[in-house]
Structures are given as structure tokens and as C-alpha cells.
Coordinates of all heavy atoms in Angstrom, one line a residue:
A1 N 4.3 -17.5 -2.2 CA 3.6 -16.5 -1.6 C 3.9 -15.1 -2.2 O 3.3 -14.2 -2.0 CB 4.0 -16.4 -0.2
E2 N 5.1 -15.0 -3.0 CA 5.5 -13.7 -3.7 C 4.6 -13.6 -5.0 O 4.7 -12.4 -5.4 CB 6.9 -13.7 -4.1 CG 7.8 -14.0 -2.9 CD 9.4 -14.2 -3.4 OE1 9.5 -14.6 -4.7 OE2 10.2 -14.1 -2.6
L3 N 3.8 -14.4 -5.4 CA 3.0 -14.3 -6.7 C 2.1 -13.1 -6.5 O 2.0 -12.3 -7.5 CB 2.2 -15.6 -6.9 CG 1.2 -15.6 -8.1 CD1 2.2 -15.3 -9.3 CD2 0.4 -16.8 -8.1
A4 N 1.4 -13.0 -5.5 CA 0.5 -11.9 -5.4 C 1.1 -10.5 -5.4 O 0.6 -9.5 -6.2 CB -0.3 -11.9 -3.9
R5 N 2.2 -10.4 -4.9 CA 3.1 -9.1 -5.1 C 3.3 -8.7 -6.4 O 3.1 -7.6 -6.9 CB 4.3 -9.1 -4.2 CG 5.3 -7.8 -4.4 CD 6.5 -8.1 -3.7 NE 7.3 -9.3 -4.2 CZ 8.0 -9.3 -5.3 NH1 8.1 -8.2 -6.0 NH2 8.7 -10.4 -5.6
V6 N 3.8 -9.7 -7.2 CA 4.2 -9.4 -8.6 C 3.0 -9.2 -9.4 O 3.0 -8.1 -10.2 CB 5.1 -10.6 -9.1 CG1 5.4 -10.4 -10.6 CG2 6.2 -10.9 -8.3
L7 N 1.9 -9.8 -9.2 CA 0.7 -9.6 -10.0 C 0.2 -8.2 -9.6 O -0.4 -7.6 -10.6 CB -0.3 -10.7 -9.7 CG -0.1 -12.0 -10.3 CD1 -1.0 -13.1 -9.8 CD2 0.2 -12.1 -11.8
G8 N 0.3 -7.8 -8.4 CA -0.2 -6.6 -8.0 C 0.5 -5.3 -8.7 O -0.1 -4.3 -9.0
V9 N 1.7 -5.5 -9.1 CA 2.6 -4.6 -9.8 C 2.3 -4.8 -11.2 O 2.2 -3.6 -12.0 CB 4.2 -4.8 -9.5 CG1 4.9 -3.9 -10.3 CG2 4.4 -4.7 -7.9
W10 N 2.2 -5.9 -11.8 CA 2.1 -6.1 -13.2 C 0.7 -5.8 -13.7 O 0.3 -5.4 -14.8 CB 2.5 -7.4 -13.7 CG 4.0 -7.7 -13.5 CD1 4.9 -6.8 -13.1 CD2 4.7 -8.7 -14.1 NE1 6.2 -7.3 -13.2 CE2 6.1 -8.6 -13.8 CE3 4.4 -10.0 -14.6 CZ2 7.2 -9.5 -14.2 CZ3 5.4 -10.9 -15.0 CH2 6.7 -10.7 -14.7
K11 N -0.4 -6.0 -12.8 CA -1.7 -5.7 -13.3 C -2.3 -6.4 -14.5 O -2.7 -5.7 -15.4 CB -2.0 -4.2 -13.2 CG -1.8 -3.7 -11.8 CD -2.3 -2.2 -11.7 CE -1.8 -1.5 -10.5 NZ -2.3 -2.3 -9.3
P12 N -2.1 -7.7 -14.7 CA -2.7 -8.4 -15.9 C -4.1 -8.4 -15.9 O -4.8 -8.3 -14.9 CB -2.1 -9.8 -15.8 CG -1.9 -10.0 -14.3 CD -1.6 -8.7 -13.7
D13 N -4.6 -8.5 -17.1 CA -6.2 -8.7 -17.3 C -6.5 -10.2 -17.3 O -7.7 -10.6 -16.8 CB -6.6 -8.1 -18.7 CG -6.4 -6.8 -18.9 OD1 -7.1 -5.9 -18.1 OD2 -5.5 -6.3 -19.6
L14 N -5.5 -11.1 -17.7 CA -5.7 -12.6 -17.6 C -4.5 -13.1 -17.4 O -3.3 -12.7 -17.9 CB -6.4 -12.9 -19.0 CG -6.6 -14.3 -19.3 CD1 -7.6 -14.9 -18.3 CD2 -7.0 -14.5 -20.7
C15 N -4.5 -14.3 -16.7 CA -3.2 -15.2 -16.6 C -3.5 -16.5 -17.2 O -4.6 -17.1 -17.0 CB -2.9 -15.3 -15.1 SG -2.4 -13.7 -14.2
F16 N -2.5 -17.1 -17.8 CA -2.4 -18.5 -18.3 C -1.5 -19.2 -17.3 O -0.4 -18.7 -17.1 CB -2.0 -18.6 -19.8 CG -3.2 -18.4 -20.7 CD1 -3.4 -17.0 -21.1 CD2 -4.1 -19.3 -21.1 CE1 -4.4 -16.7 -22.0 CE2 -5.0 -19.0 -21.9 CZ -5.3 -17.7 -22.6
V17 N -2.0 -20.3 -16.8 CA -1.2 -21.1 -15.8 C -0.9 -22.5 -16.1 O -1.8 -23.2 -16.6 CB -1.8 -21.1 -14.4 CG1 -1.1 -21.8 -13.3 CG2 -2.3 -19.6 -13.9
S18 N 0.4 -22.8 -16.2 CA 0.7 -24.3 -16.6 C 2.0 -24.6 -16.0 O 3.0 -24.0 -16.0 CB 1.0 -24.3 -18.2 OG 1.3 -25.6 -18.5
G19 N 2.0 -25.8 -15.2 CA 3.1 -26.2 -14.4 C 3.4 -25.4 -13.2 O 4.5 -25.2 -12.8
W20 N 2.4 -24.9 -12.5 CA 2.3 -24.3 -11.2 C 1.8 -25.1 -10.1 O 0.7 -25.6 -10.3 CB 1.6 -23.0 -11.3 CG 1.7 -22.0 -10.0 CD1 0.9 -21.9 -9.1 CD2 2.9 -21.3 -9.8 NE1 1.3 -21.1 -8.2 CE2 2.6 -20.6 -8.6 CE3 4.1 -21.0 -10.5 CZ2 3.5 -19.7 -8.0 CZ3 4.9 -20.1 -9.9 CH2 4.7 -19.4 -8.7
Y21 N 2.7 -25.7 -9.3 CA 2.3 -26.7 -8.4 C 1.9 -26.2 -6.9 O 2.3 -26.8 -5.9 CB 3.4 -27.7 -8.3 CG 3.7 -28.3 -9.6 CD1 4.8 -27.8 -10.4 CD2 3.0 -29.4 -10.1 CE1 5.0 -28.4 -11.6 CE2 3.2 -30.0 -11.4 CZ 4.2 -29.3 -12.2 OH 4.5 -29.9 -13.4
F22 N 1.4 -25.0 -6.9 CA 0.9 -24.4 -5.6 C -0.4 -23.9 -5.8 O -0.8 -23.3 -6.8 CB 1.9 -23.4 -5.3 CG 3.5 -23.5 -5.5 CD1 4.2 -23.4 -6.6 CD2 4.2 -24.1 -4.4 CE1 5.4 -23.7 -6.7 CE2 5.4 -24.6 -4.6 CZ 6.1 -24.2 -5.7
L23 N -1.2 -24.0 -4.6 CA -2.5 -23.3 -4.6 C -2.4 -21.9 -4.6 O -1.5 -21.2 -4.0 CB -3.1 -23.8 -3.2 CG -3.6 -25.4 -3.1 CD1 -4.2 -25.6 -1.9 CD2 -4.6 -25.8 -4.3
I24 N -3.3 -21.3 -5.3 CA -3.4 -19.8 -5.5 C -4.6 -19.3 -4.7 O -5.7 -19.9 -4.8 CB -3.5 -19.3 -6.8 CG1 -2.3 -19.8 -7.6 CG2 -3.5 -17.8 -6.9 CD1 -2.3 -19.5 -9.1
D25 N -4.3 -18.4 -3.7 CA -5.5 -18.0 -2.8 C -6.5 -17.2 -3.5 O -6.2 -16.5 -4.5 CB -4.9 -17.2 -1.5 CG -4.3 -15.9 -2.1 OD1 -3.1 -15.9 -2.4 OD2 -5.0 -14.8 -2.0
K26 N -7.7 -17.1 -3.0 CA -8.9 -16.6 -3.6 C -8.7 -15.0 -3.7 O -9.0 -14.5 -4.9 CB -10.2 -16.7 -2.7 CG -11.4 -16.2 -3.3 CD -12.6 -16.6 -2.5 CE -13.9 -16.3 -3.1 NZ -14.0 -14.7 -3.5
K27 N -8.1 -14.3 -2.8 CA -7.8 -12.9 -3.0 C -6.9 -12.6 -4.2 O -7.2 -11.8 -5.1 CB -7.1 -12.4 -1.7 CG -6.9 -10.9 -1.8 CD -6.4 -10.3 -0.4 CE -6.2 -8.8 -0.5 NZ -5.6 -8.4 0.7
T28 N -5.9 -13.4 -4.4 CA -5.0 -13.3 -5.6 C -5.7 -13.6 -6.9 O -5.6 -12.9 -7.9 CB -3.8 -14.2 -5.5 OG1 -3.1 -13.9 -4.2 CG2 -2.9 -14.0 -6.7
I29 N -6.5 -14.6 -6.9 CA -7.3 -15.0 -8.1 C -8.3 -14.0 -8.5 O -8.4 -13.4 -9.7 CB -8.1 -16.4 -7.9 CG1 -7.0 -17.5 -7.6 CG2 -9.1 -16.6 -9.1 CD1 -7.7 -18.8 -7.2
D30 N -9.0 -13.3 -7.4 CA -10.1 -12.3 -7.6 C -9.5 -11.1 -8.1 O -10.2 -10.2 -8.7 CB -10.9 -12.2 -6.4 CG -11.8 -13.4 -6.0 OD1 -12.0 -14.3 -7.1 OD2 -12.2 -13.5 -4.9
S31 N -8.1 -10.9 -7.9 CA -7.5 -9.6 -8.3 C -7.3 -9.6 -9.8 O -6.9 -8.3 -10.3 CB -6.1 -9.4 -7.6 OG -5.2 -10.4 -8.1
I32 N -7.3 -10.5 -10.5 CA -7.2 -10.5 -12.0 C -8.6 -10.5 -12.5 O -9.4 -11.4 -12.4 CB -6.6 -12.0 -12.5 CG1 -5.4 -12.2 -11.6 CG2 -6.2 -11.9 -13.9 CD1 -4.2 -11.2 -11.6
P33 N -8.8 -9.4 -13.4 CA -10.2 -9.1 -13.9 C -10.8 -10.2 -14.6 O -12.0 -10.5 -14.4 CB -9.9 -7.9 -14.8 CG -8.6 -7.2 -14.2 CD -7.8 -8.3 -13.6
M34 N -10.1 -10.8 -15.5 CA -10.6 -11.9 -16.3 C -10.3 -13.3 -15.8 O -10.7 -14.3 -16.4 CB -10.1 -11.8 -17.9 CG -10.6 -10.5 -18.4 SD -9.9 -10.5 -20.2 CE -10.8 -11.7 -20.9
G35 N -9.7 -13.3 -14.7 CA -9.3 -14.6 -14.0 C -8.1 -15.3 -14.5 O -7.4 -14.7 -15.2
M36 N -7.9 -16.5 -14.1 CA -6.7 -17.2 -14.5 C -7.2 -18.6 -15.3 O -8.0 -19.3 -14.7 CB -6.0 -17.7 -13.2 CG -5.4 -16.5 -12.5 SD -4.4 -17.0 -11.0 CE -3.6 -15.6 -10.5
A37 N -6.6 -18.8 -16.4 CA -6.8 -20.0 -17.3 C -5.8 -21.0 -16.9 O -4.6 -20.8 -17.3 CB -6.9 -19.7 -18.7
G38 N -6.3 -22.2 -16.3 CA -5.3 -23.2 -16.1 C -5.4 -24.4 -17.0 O -6.5 -24.5 -17.7
I39 N -4.4 -25.2 -17.1 CA -4.5 -26.3 -17.9 C -4.4 -27.6 -17.1 O -3.5 -27.8 -16.3 CB -3.3 -26.3 -19.0 CG1 -3.5 -25.3 -19.9 CG2 -3.3 -27.7 -19.8 CD1 -2.3 -25.0 -20.7
H40 N -5.4 -28.4 -17.1 CA -5.4 -29.7 -16.3 C -5.6 -30.9 -17.3 O -6.3 -30.9 -18.3 CB -6.6 -29.7 -15.3 CG -6.6 -30.8 -14.4 ND1 -5.7 -31.0 -13.3 CD2 -7.3 -32.0 -14.3 CE1 -5.9 -32.0 -12.7 NE2 -6.9 -32.7 -13.2
Y41 N -4.8 -31.9 -16.9 CA -4.7 -33.1 -17.9 C -5.8 -34.1 -17.6 O -5.6 -35.3 -17.2 CB -3.3 -33.7 -17.7 CG -2.3 -33.0 -18.3 CD1 -0.9 -33.3 -18.2 CD2 -2.5 -31.9 -19.1 CE1 0.1 -32.6 -18.7 CE2 -1.5 -31.1 -19.7 CZ -0.2 -31.5 -19.5 OH 0.9 -30.8 -20.0
S42 N -7.1 -33.7 -17.7 CA -8.3 -34.5 -17.6 C -9.5 -33.9 -18.2 O -9.4 -32.7 -18.4 CB -8.5 -35.0 -16.2 OG -9.2 -34.0 -15.5
L43 N -10.5 -34.7 -18.4 CA -11.7 -34.1 -18.8 C -12.5 -33.8 -17.6 O -13.2 -34.8 -17.0 CB -12.7 -35.1 -19.7 CG -12.3 -35.1 -21.2 CD1 -13.2 -36.2 -21.9 CD2 -12.3 -33.8 -21.9
L44 N -12.3 -32.6 -17.0 CA -13.0 -32.2 -15.7 C -14.5 -32.4 -15.8 O -15.1 -32.1 -16.9 CB -12.6 -30.8 -15.3 CG -11.0 -30.7 -15.1 CD1 -10.8 -29.2 -15.0 CD2 -10.7 -31.3 -13.7
P45 N -15.1 -32.9 -14.6 CA -14.6 -33.0 -13.4 C -13.9 -34.4 -13.1 O -13.9 -34.8 -11.9 CB -15.8 -32.9 -12.5 CG -17.0 -33.5 -13.4 CD -16.6 -33.1 -14.7
A46 N -13.7 -35.2 -14.1 CA -12.9 -36.5 -13.8 C -11.6 -36.2 -13.6 O -10.9 -35.3 -14.1 CB -13.2 -37.4 -15.0
Y47 N -11.0 -37.1 -12.6 CA -9.5 -37.0 -12.4 C -9.1 -35.6 -11.9 O -8.1 -35.1 -12.5 CB -8.7 -37.4 -13.6 CG -8.9 -38.9 -14.0 CD1 -9.7 -39.3 -14.9 CD2 -8.3 -39.9 -13.1 CE1 -9.9 -40.7 -15.1 CE2 -8.4 -41.2 -13.3 CZ -9.3 -41.7 -14.3 OH -9.4 -43.0 -14.6

């Protein structure tokens, strides 16, 4: 839950996410201008 606070201070344009095992709420996601780029081990939308 502390993620939103840190991002609010750092104010990134884009985040890369790998090995984060927690859901990120919409408000936090929307606060990043270019969004968050995650890595998933499948050819989405499979698996």
C-alpha cells in the first residue's frame, strides 16, 4: 500500500514492473502519465 506514496513523490513518467506480486489500484496506475509496463510469462490473452 506504500507504493502510491512513493510514486507520488518521485513522479515518474513510466514504470517498468517485474516480480511484483500485488495488485496495483487504478488510481495509482492512472497517476503515471505513460502508464506501467509489466512483464507476463505468456502470449496474452492466453494464460
Side-chain angles (χ1 to χ4, degrees):
E2 297 172 347
L3 178 63
R5 172 187 59 80
V6 178
L7 291 176
V9 174
W10 288 8
K11 299 187 183 305
D13 296 297
L14 174 69
C15 295
F16 281 89
V17 183
S18 176
W20 188 257
Y21 301 97
F22 310 92
L23 291 176
I24 303 174
D25 64 272
K26 186 176 186 300
K27 184 178 179 181
T28 301
I29 295 170
D30 291 345
S31 71
I32 311 302
M34 297 180 66
M36 296 183 171
I39 296 169
H40 187 72
Y41 288 170
S42 80
L43 280 181
L44 293 170
Y47 293 100

